[in-house]
Amino acid sequence: GNATEALAKARSFWFEWRGAALEECANHLYTYTGQDAVEHLFRVCSSLDSLVVGEAQILGQVQAAFRAAQMCETTDKILNALFEKAFSVAKKVRRNSVIGKGKVSIGSIAVDVAVSIFGELKDKTVLVIGSGKMGEITLNHLTERGVGRILIANRSQDKAEAAAERFGGVALPASAIGSRLHEADIVISSTAAPGHVLGCDAFRRALKRRGKAPMLAVDIAVPRDIDPAVHELGNVYLYHMDDLRQVADDHLAHRKREMARCSEMVEHGVEQFWKWLQGLAAEPAIVSMSREVDVIRARELEKTLAALSHLPQEDLDEIAYMSKRLVNAVLQRPMRQLKREVVDHDPSTVLPFVNRLFGLNGSF
């Protein structure tokens, strides 16, 4: 039908615009129809369908595309209502949930811990030991949060200098770790060493030189780089992989609960829109009912006014106004019920019955 034809046109336009061959892209496209299409749009706008759940950019992109379509006059009453409802649901999801706030990666969790201990990071120094991927990811998150100074130590001086250049830090030889440890507010250790790289003595000396200012030590090496006994020292906050994973799991569990809540909000919005859309099927019948009854009203009013021509015009106007109020009052309940009926039942059976009941000419 029309929907199939419209879909084919949309696809061919997209392939032509992107300069892509149908066979290259066909497997990457999916199609939703009816209520499923409404739900998909609402989920996309609410960022429940994004690679990074909760990110804010997608809503702005859909809004921009919709405004462009409106400017080109390619939308209608139903599309306008659909997209405005999608935007309304998306804003409700964002306003009533923290879906975009919980982080689940080890690197970002480590930075969350640093912020919870120190607050601002712009006056803090981080020492990264080793060149593990996880350490680099954590360092990425720290630089995003504006950490003040970066020291990078590695057994390979070349690797240390390359990383320092990339992150705007200072490269240290591995032999300098002990003597420079006191400079670090945050220590991230991610080496492939088989045993401990840092023990209690190194941290005791560093704390003494720091005047016991607190330190955060993040050990993301397997096996561990930092002696677990460091945790017993005052003013050193030691986190290892199991600690970070536990925090990440807690975030993930919270995120799943939030996702369920957000999905409920979306489903409620879809249901509201779908009821409104189904209710549109009653509009032609309602218009015909109003016209048919108004013809009867006007005919009977004309007879009555002719018989009452001796009355002042003011009284005749009041009688005409009363006839309109009476018709509106009588039709109000059937019209409301008709909208409910086409939502709850099959319009193809409801509307012909209304047609017969009121003697209407239109076919619905």
Side-chain angles (χ1 to χ4, degrees), residues 93-102 254-255 258 261-262:
V93 166
R94 188 159 292 279
R95 190 170 58 245
N96 295 298
S97 76
V98 292
I99 195 70
K101 295 177 185 173
H254 180 62
R255 175 76 67 92
E258 285 293 287
R261 282 185 59 243
C262 294

Side-chain angles (χ1 to χ4, degrees), residues 84-236:
E84 292 301 342
K85 184 66 176 176
F87 301 151
S88 169
V89 168
K91 286 169 186 172
K92 183 181 179 184
V93 166
R94 188 159 292 279
R95 190 170 58 245
N96 295 298
S97 76
V98 292
I99 195 70
K101 295 177 185 173
K103 297 183 180 71
V104 293
S105 76
I106 295 296
S108 60
I109 294 295
V111 176
D112 284 347
V113 171
V115 170
S116 71
I117 293 170
F118 298 112
E120 283 286 333
L121 301 182
K122 62 187 177 186
D123 60 341
K124 303 303 174 192
T125 296
V126 58
L127 167 62
V128 180
I129 303 170
S131 57
K133 187 68 179 171
M134 197 71 77
E136 191 168 305
I137 290 170
T138 307
L139 189 50
N140 263 321
H141 285 288
L142 282 166
T143 53
E144 281 174 14
R145 295 297 283 265
V147 74
R149 185 162 163 256
I150 297 167
L151 307 175
I152 298 175
N154 198 300
R155 276 188 308 175
S156 162
Q157 190 65 18
D158 288 346
K159 284 186 178 179
E161 286 173 1
E165 189 175 338
R166 194 160 63 251
F167 289 101
V170 176
L172 303 179
S175 57
I177 292 172
S179 60
R180 304 287 295 269
L181 185 61
H182 67 281
E183 297 177 35
D185 302 288
I186 303 162
V187 180
I188 299 168
S189 199
S190 174
T191 77
H196 296 151
V197 173
L198 288 168
C200 291
D201 289 344
F203 276 97
R204 281 197 195 96
R205 288 193 297 271
L207 285 168
K208 190 174 180 180
R209 294 186 69 178
R210 288 172 60 81
K212 297 201 173 175
M215 299 176 75
L216 167 64
V218 180
D219 185 352
I220 47 184
V222 180
R224 294 182 186 180
D225 276 347
I226 300 173
D227 186 344
V230 167
H231 183 67
E232 305 300 323
L233 298 176
N235 285 10
V236 178

Side-chain angles (χ1 to χ4, degrees), residues 245-255 257:
R245 281 202 187 98
Q246 184 58 56
V247 177
D249 287 346
D250 291 345
H251 275 290
L252 193 57
H254 180 62
R255 175 76 67 92
R257 288 194 297 273

